[in-house]
Amino acid sequence: MWRYVMFKNRETKDKFTLIELLVVIAIIAILASMLLPALNKAREKGKAATCKNNLKQLGKAFIMYADDYNGFLPPALANGTHWWCRNEILGPYFGYFRTGGGVMHCPSNVGIPANHAQSNYTFNAKAELKKLAKILKPSEAIILPDSASLDPAQWLAFDSGNWSTRVGLIRHSNGTNCQFVDGHVSWKNDFNADNVTKGY
């Protein structure tokens, strides 16, 4: 009898009660709610790093183009139909344009249509056909910042008159990644009309 009671009590103690189970679930939910924001932030940092790498590659393409054309940067539009990001201008320098992906697209931008060859980076018209040797401060002169829209009317080029509608300001932690003439890429949280002409 004694052995049976001891065995029965031990069997009862080995089981979770409903309250204990609910407590464990609640703890897991709390830990998940604490970790998810950190994971999302880490994921976004990864996307921002990819975006910077895209801009770095595009920046090299601009420099290689200038090397082949007597030190001049490319036009924003050539022959009335060929934009700077198309195969006819910079394409040969970064592996040609890939529809729906590639270095032209920031991973933080959502809703990229797979059937449209568009860019998430916008060409600073101030750099158009500019001779590299004539740019006053290459480390301050922006060539490409993030673009705000996939609308074809908003991703081609911008100047001081339309920078606010064509440049993304909040894609990466309330700022935008920018490619500079000297080749470096940096994040700016104060992009404004003054940045369009700065360094040129």
Side-chain angles (χ1 to χ4, degrees), residues 30-103:
I30 291 170
L31 289 174
S33 66
M34 292 171 63
L35 290 174
L36 281 177
L39 290 174
N40 289 334
K41 191 173 182 180
R43 188 182 297 112
E44 176 51 37
K45 282 187 176 181
K47 291 180 179 180
T50 299
C51 173
K52 285 185 176 181
N53 184 58
N54 289 347
L55 286 168
K56 194 84 172 174
Q57 292 184 63
L58 291 171
K60 289 178 180 178
F62 275 94
I63 299 304
M64 287 189 288
Y65 177 96
D67 286 343
D68 288 341
Y69 289 90
N70 299 316
F72 286 93
L73 290 169
L77 178 65
N79 300 325
T81 57
H82 304 317
W83 287 96
W84 65 272
C85 54
R86 299 296 184 176
N87 293 342
E88 297 83 3
I89 300 180
L90 285 189
Y93 301 97
F94 60 79
Y96 286 101
F97 196 93
R98 289 194 305 154
T99 301
V103 297

Side-chain angles (χ1 to χ4, degrees), residues 8-49:
K8 187 175 181 181
N9 287 342
R10 186 171 59 192
E11 185 182 51
T12 303
K13 288 180 180 178
D14 287 342
K15 293 180 179 179
F16 281 106
T17 65
L18 179 60
I19 293 176
E20 289 172 331
L21 189 59
L22 290 174
V23 169
V24 170
I25 292 173
I27 291 172
I28 292 174
I30 291 170
L31 289 174
S33 66
M34 292 171 63
L35 290 174
L36 281 177
L39 290 174
N40 289 334
K41 191 173 182 180
R43 188 182 297 112
E44 176 51 37
K45 282 187 176 181
K47 291 180 179 180

